[in-house]
Amino acid sequence: MESWQLTAELILDTKAALGEGPVWDHRSGRLLWVDIEGMRVHHYDPVQRTDRSIQLNQRVGAAVPRAEGEGIPDGMAVDREGMLWVAQWGGWRVSCWNPQSGERLGFVRVPAAQTTSCAFGGPDWDELYITTARTGLSGEQLAQQPHAGGLFCVKTGVKGRPACFYGG
């Protein structure tokens, strides 16, 4: 049995080809969202009822407010306690976050700036494997990061979860 019904109000008629990924930025009081096919990131101000957009030259799946000068969130893994381990492109690290509180619990330093992703493994599931990239780095940056593009591993002290396999 239906107990209530609401109707949404149009607040912005942008004609997005594929609007996606809304997230509220509580610091600015604005909504970030993207038009994947239109290759735009939008910043909607509900007080002024205005939308500012940034045109990109590629599709974007989501926009997330950031503080982590510590790089851009990239690939991630979840441990058995439900904590989120996030590779930070340009941040020289993988950070561990409590998704319930938003608190950063700690981080793993990586001797390569462009950390791309991570996964738990090993016989006890307590090894965090970290992938990195060297694409886009200058000769000078590569000289400072001779192992950029390498695969790294660290014993975390916590256990990860097995991967979910695709297929049936």
Side-chain angles (χ1 to χ4, degrees), residues 17-88:
L18 180 52
E20 185 64 86
V23 64
W24 183 256
D25 181 351
H26 64 274
R27 294 170 305 170
S28 69
R30 293 194 172 113
L31 183 78
L32 288 134
W33 63 285
V34 300
D35 179 353
I36 295 172
E37 295 296 327
M39 297 184 274
R40 290 184 176 271
V41 175
H42 290 266
H43 301 259
Y44 176 69
D45 182 335
V47 174
Q48 301 294 321
R49 295 185 70 102
T50 58
D51 184 65
R52 182 174 60 99
S53 67
I54 300 167
Q55 182 68 53
L56 303 174
N57 61 2
Q58 63 185 15
R59 291 179 179 165
V60 58
V64 179
R66 78 172 197 178
E68 304 102 83
E70 295 179 351
I72 300 167
D74 205 341
M76 56 195 76
V78 177
D79 67 28
R80 287 192 185 165
E81 298 171 9
M83 300 303 113
L84 189 61
W85 295 73
V86 183
Q88 293 175 244

Side-chain angles (χ1 to χ4, degrees), residues 154-165:
V154 63
K155 288 259 191 186
T156 61
V158 299
K159 295 185 182 226
R161 298 177 178 192
C164 296
F165 293 137

